[in-house]
Structures are given as structure tokens and as C-alpha cells.
Amino acid sequence: MDFLLALKRPPLVLGVDPRPDLHGPEPLTHLRRYALALFEALAGRLAAVKFQLAFFEALGPEGMALLVELASAARVMGLPVIFDGKRGDIGSTAEAYAEAYLRRFPGSALTANPYLGLDALAPFFRAAGQSGGAVFVLAKTSNPGSGFLQDLPVAGRPLYLHLAEALAREGEALREGPWSRVGMVVGATYPEAVKAVREVAPSAPLLLPGIGAQGGSPLKGRGLLLAASRALFYPGGRPDLEEARKAAEALLALVE
């Protein structure tokens, strides 16, 4: 599997942020069954499945085992996988993160934090190129306080646009056809930022979180991956396959 195939699928990304308290007396057993059933039910409507690593890590060893099982199942179903861990470090530590989530799961993607600089991102880019995967680097995030650093004016433009330009240059070496393996995370809560990043990075896939519960709306455009977590995985605040199907159809109807 090559992650760039996700860009040929419907643009919706299912975010998996598991909350055991919503799954009854045997929460991990029910969570596993529900997630697998949901993947199968929505497979034809999805570009990818995005696993928020923190929620699995919080469940301890059983949670990490569940993560591997669900990620493997999604891949067997032909669904590209995004590991949302916002990893970032230097030297051998960055190499280890790249090994864990890109080389161990060929054709998958990982989110990464650029704060340590482009050299700290190089191991992720290298692993993505070798494994048929992708890296989504945080550019303009969906949270209200993101502007504290990301919007800082530098030479008359916000910092996140300077970062986007630098990532676009780095991504040219990993471009295959119209798309690069170096993508960016831009919150759907900031549609003008999505437009601005697309203008300076025409070949970068853009992962747009914040749709639904955070107030972001689906956006139309080439190479946009629309991530919805609570609105899809727990529609109405609870696990519900039928409501999840309806939610997916309603979101896709807005961008078709």
C-alpha cells in the first residue's frame, strides 16, 4: 500500500480517539468490536483512518496492543493509516519514531512537530520515502491559541507560511506525480490559512482536523483530507454505527 493512494479516495478521514467510558462493562472488548465494524461500514467513504496515539497510550499495554490490531485491520481493509502522535525529536530519537510508525507500517503516515527544525524532520521524510508513507507536519493547528507562535509576523507574513514554504521546498524531493510525501496539518477552523498554505505548497497533501466538534466545516479542494473524530467515531456522543454512516454521508455531501 502507498499512502498517496489516499488522495484518490473520498476525502474523509475517520479519527479514532477511543474513550473506554463509553463502551460499557468490558470497554476494550466492545471498543475493538465497534471500531472494526465501523471501519467496515465506512470503508468506501474514507480516505484514511487516523489513530490519536495519546488515547491508546493512556490505556497502557492493552491499549498499545489494540492500536496495532486496529491499524493492521484497517490496512487489511485497504484503508490508509495515519498515526497522529505529533512526534518530534533529534538524531537517534527521531530515527526511532520513524522506525516505529513509518517503516514498521509501510505505506502509513505520521504527524510531526516542526519546532526543533528541518534537520529533526529529516528522518521522518527519509523513512516516508523509503516506506511509501507520508509525513504531516504541523503548520497551522486548529486550536484557538495556535496563533501565539504560528501567527507571529515575520517579514510581513505569519510564521506558519514561512514554515509552509520551507516544507514545500523539502517536499519536492519526495514528490511523486502531483503529490509530495511531505504534507501539512492545517486546521479546518482556519479556512483562510488552508487557502494560504495551498497557494505556497501546491503539491502538499493537507490534513484538516477540527471538523465537527471543534466547529470547522468541510472544505473543497485538491489534496485536502478532512479529519473528523468525535463527529464520526462517536456521533451524538456515543458509539452508533448507523449514526456514523449518516454523519459520513452528510459530511461528504458538503464537498461533492
Side-chain angles (χ1 to χ4, degrees):
M1 180 185 295
D2 188 312
F3 186 83
L4 294 183
L5 293 175
L7 298 169
K8 297 182 178 181
R9 298 173 62 93
L12 195 58
V13 173
L14 170 64
V16 181
D17 301 1
R19 299 178 184 273
D21 57 302
L22 298 177
H23 290 275
E26 296 184 5
L28 293 191
T29 298
H30 185 270
L31 171 59
R32 174 185 174 276
R33 291 173 181 167
Y34 174 67
L36 292 174
L38 188 58
F39 295 171
E40 186 172 1
L42 298 184
R45 301 173 175 89
L46 298 177
V49 178
K50 180 174 72 69
F51 295 94
Q52 174 50 260
L53 299 185
F55 285 89
F56 290 91
E57 292 167 356
L59 299 176
E62 289 181 318
M64 295 306 292
L66 180 62
L67 169 67
V68 172
E69 181 179 2
L70 294 182
S72 299
R75 289 159 56 83
V76 168
M77 294 181 196
L79 287 167
V81 165
I82 302 171
F83 293 107
D84 190 1
K86 302 172 180 68
R87 298 302 196 234
D89 215 312
I90 58 175
S92 59
T93 308
E95 289 282 2
Y97 282 138
E99 178 73 22
Y101 292 106
L102 294 171
R103 292 194 181 93
R104 294 283 180 177
F105 294 87
S108 297
L110 176 68
T111 59
N113 192 321
Y115 193 77
L116 280 73
L118 294 178
D119 61 325
L121 294 173
F124 300 113
F125 297 162
R126 187 162 51 245
Q130 294 166 349
S131 67
V135 182
F136 288 94
V137 182
L138 303 180
K140 174 62 178 173
T141 56
S142 59
N143 56 304
S146 65
F148 171 67
L149 289 177
Q150 296 164 15
D151 291 354
L152 282 177
V154 178
R157 293 189 304 161
L159 179 60
Y160 75 83
L161 276 185
H162 291 275
L163 171 63
E165 285 186 330
L167 292 171
R169 289 192 296 270
E170 293 289 316
E172 279 301 300
L174 289 172
R175 184 159 65 88
E176 297 185 18
W179 301 113
S180 171
R181 297 190 184 280
V182 177
M184 299 178 218
V185 177
V186 186
T189 47
Y190 298 104
E192 290 304 314
V194 175
K195 180 180 178 181
V197 170
R198 172 54 77 224
E199 288 176 354
V200 302
S203 299
L206 302 183
L207 177 63
L208 275 52
I211 291 170
Q214 292 186 54
S217 299
L219 302 175
K220 296 182 181 181
R222 294 174 60 254
L224 303 184
L225 298 175
L226 312 174
S229 298
R230 280 170 285 177
L232 274 185
F233 200 71
Y234 294 125
R238 60 191 177 89
D240 189 319
L241 286 175
E242 186 55 36
E243 288 302 314
R245 288 191 192 95
K246 292 178 182 178
E249 290 171 359
L251 288 170
L252 287 174
L254 297 174
V255 294
E256 290 177 347

